Amino acid sequence: MAKTNYQNDLTFEEKVMMAIVRAAENFKRTHSTIFKKYGLSFPQYNILRVLEASDLGQNKISSVGRIMLVPGANMTGLAKRLEKQEFILRKRDPGDERVTILAITDKGKTTLKRIEEEKDKAIDIILKDFTETDKNGLLNKIKIIIRATTALNKGMTR
Amino acid sequence: MAKTNYQNDLTFEEKVMMAIVRAAENFKRTHSTIFKKYGLSFPQYNILRVLEASDLGQNKISSVGRIMLVPGANMTGLAKRLEKQEFILRKRDPGDERVTILAITDKGKTTLKRIEEEKDKAIDIILKDFTETDKNGLLNKIKIIIRATTALNKGMTR
DNA sequence: AATAAATAGTCAACATATTGACTATTTATT
DNA sequence: AATAAATAGTCAATATGTTGACTATTTATT
């Protein structure tokens, strides 16, 4: 009767949200461990993915940040470290001197290819107990939460 | 036909996992905005919650870290900053001189109470479109992912 | 054209996260 | 009892995340 613990004092709704946070942190840890073997961190890997999927393998630093929900100030350091390791190039946009363009290098592309298989295997293990219907249902629910939190965050900073 | 974008190049399974990451980050941002008004960060708030729910409002720093999945080295700085703001006390365990005990202060307890209503309201807004069945189903799926990622992480560091 | 406002990015300061080295204390082994 | 091993915690170095101040450039307004 006496023994209390953290989980018991959370409301059910709070448990749901904290579970999502914990799942995300676990997953980031899983992937970070893989990426580190290739010299990349989780956000660095994601920048490369965005550039790889962009036209000509390049994009504005601000656009990459917008896609990843990473603030501009944070992108500067991330991009500099990626450049130092030669995964990307940084160059000025001739058409607008304010703009910094990021471009993935051959080394960056090669590294992504080498990571791909191991990363996909990990995701398959994580989701192995889910049917396609399960995954669709889960994704739809998560999307609702993303929309709600995005709206809340906009309202709070305005 | 030409226009590529980031989302299209993700596998479906990857989309599911990245959506969870994004939802978690959005949620942490929502709550951080609330907590900041009371002088607390997201992890600081969670430490207070763990202590509040612990016997006598106190616990070993390592136990708090274990519950929150925060490495010990990280706990040191978090606890020091919480102590500086007088939300907690840090004291040595007389029975084992290696151990650091964290204890929530009255200021800490009061602050948690003041945060509670606003925080619960935000969570209710985020989950307002979900039935109880929806939330149960979601939580169960997320728990499966937590178990799978926990097992993977253990296997990778061993 | 000159000025004001908006946009893009960087930098500095600080909090948080992770790893590995290190100290101190306790427990186990010989 | 002396030594070895395990445990608890801190510290230093580095990366990441966030805010606010700042510079440079471009666009809008007068």
Side-chain angles (χ1 to χ4, degrees):
Chain A
M1 200 127 310
K3 197 126 208 312
T4 65
N5 73 44
Y6 184 50
Q7 289 299 324
N8 286 342
D9 291 340
L10 296 179
T11 66
F12 174 60
E13 279 72 22
E14 204 169 7
K15 272 189 210 170
V16 174
M17 294 311 301
M18 290 307 294
I20 291 172
V21 170
R22 181 171 283 218
E25 285 175 356
N26 272 357
F27 172 69
K28 282 205 280 186
R29 217 162 288 183
T30 307
H31 263 32
S32 294
T33 304
I34 296 172
F35 299 159
K36 187 178 299 171
K37 292 194 278 186
Y38 302 89
L40 289 171
S41 66
F42 193 85
Q44 284 180 334
Y45 168 82
N46 283 301
I47 290 176
L48 291 191
R49 284 296 296 273
V50 172
L51 293 179
E52 182 194 39
S54 298
D55 211 25
L56 300 174
Q58 60 178 45
N59 215 329
K60 298 200 294 181
I61 190 170
S62 54
S63 300
V64 177
R66 206 172 303 122
I67 292 169
M68 293 174 57
L69 303 182
V70 170
N74 200 358
M75 287 298 302
T76 303
L78 283 166
K80 280 188 173 178
R81 285 183 291 272
L82 273 174
E83 186 184 41
K84 198 189 295 176
Q85 297 170 276
E86 299 181 337
F87 290 115
I88 65 168
L89 292 177
R90 297 196 309 151
K91 47 188 181 183
R92 203 142 288 287
D93 182 345
D96 185 341
E97 292 277 324
R98 295 169 302 181
V99 171
T100 299
I101 302 278
L102 305 183
I104 188 168
T105 61
D106 285 342
K107 178 182 175 185
K109 287 182 206 165
T110 308
T111 306
L112 284 187
K113 273 203 201 72
R114 293 200 298 153
I115 289 176
E116 188 178 357
E117 193 186 348
E118 188 171 356
K119 171 211 58 144
D120 287 341
K121 204 175 293 176
I123 293 181
D124 284 347
I125 291 173
I126 293 168
L127 294 176
K128 69 176 183 308
D129 293 330
F130 291 82
T131 65
E132 289 301 306
T133 312
D134 283 339
K135 286 182 272 196
N136 270 307
L138 175 58
L139 181 56
N140 285 333
K141 283 177 183 166
I142 295 292
K143 276 182 177 172
I144 291 171
I145 291 175
I146 292 175
R147 269 199 293 279
T149 47
T150 303
L152 262 185
N153 290 341
K154 274 205 191 107
M156 293 170 103
T157 51
R158 206 186 303 135
Chain B
M1 199 135 297
K3 196 124 209 311
T4 64
N5 74 43
Y6 184 49
Q7 288 299 326
N8 285 344
D9 292 340
L10 295 179
T11 66
F12 175 60
E13 280 72 21
E14 204 170 8
K15 272 190 210 173
V16 173
M17 295 312 300
M18 290 307 293
I20 291 173
V21 170
R22 181 174 284 218
E25 285 175 355
N26 270 358
F27 172 69
K28 283 205 280 185
R29 220 163 285 180
T30 306
H31 263 33
S32 294
T33 305
I34 295 172
F35 299 158
K36 186 178 298 172
K37 293 194 276 185
Y38 302 89
L40 289 170
S41 67
F42 193 85
Q44 284 180 335
Y45 168 82
N46 283 302
I47 290 175
L48 292 190
R49 284 295 295 274
V50 171
L51 293 179
E52 182 194 40
S54 299
D55 211 25
L56 301 175
Q58 60 179 45
N59 216 328
K60 300 200 292 182
I61 190 170
S62 53
S63 302
V64 177
R66 206 171 304 121
I67 292 168
M68 293 175 58
L69 303 182
V70 171
N74 199 359
M75 288 298 300
T76 303
L78 284 166
K80 281 188 173 179
R81 285 184 291 273
L82 273 174
E83 187 185 41
K84 198 188 296 178
Q85 296 170 277
E86 299 180 338
F87 289 116
I88 66 168
L89 291 177
R90 296 196 309 152
K91 47 188 181 185
R92 203 142 289 286
D93 182 342
D96 186 340
E97 292 277 326
R98 295 169 301 182
V99 171
T100 299
I101 302 277
L102 306 183
I104 188 168
T105 60
D106 285 341
K107 178 182 175 183
K109 288 181 204 163
T110 308
T111 305
L112 283 187
K113 273 203 201 73
R114 293 200 297 152
I115 288 176
E116 188 178 357
E117 193 187 346
E118 188 172 356
K119 171 211 59 148
D120 287 341
K121 204 175 294 176
I123 293 181
D124 285 346
I125 291 172
I126 293 168
L127 295 176
K128 70 175 184 309
D129 294 330
F130 291 82
T131 65
E132 289 302 306
T133 312
D134 282 339
K135 285 182 276 197
N136 270 306
L138 175 58
L139 181 56
N140 285 333
K141 283 177 184 167
I142 295 292
K143 276 182 177 170
I144 291 171
I145 291 175
I146 291 174
R147 270 198 293 278
T149 47
T150 302
L152 262 185
N153 290 341
K154 275 205 191 102
M156 293 169 104
T157 52
R158 204 189 304 136

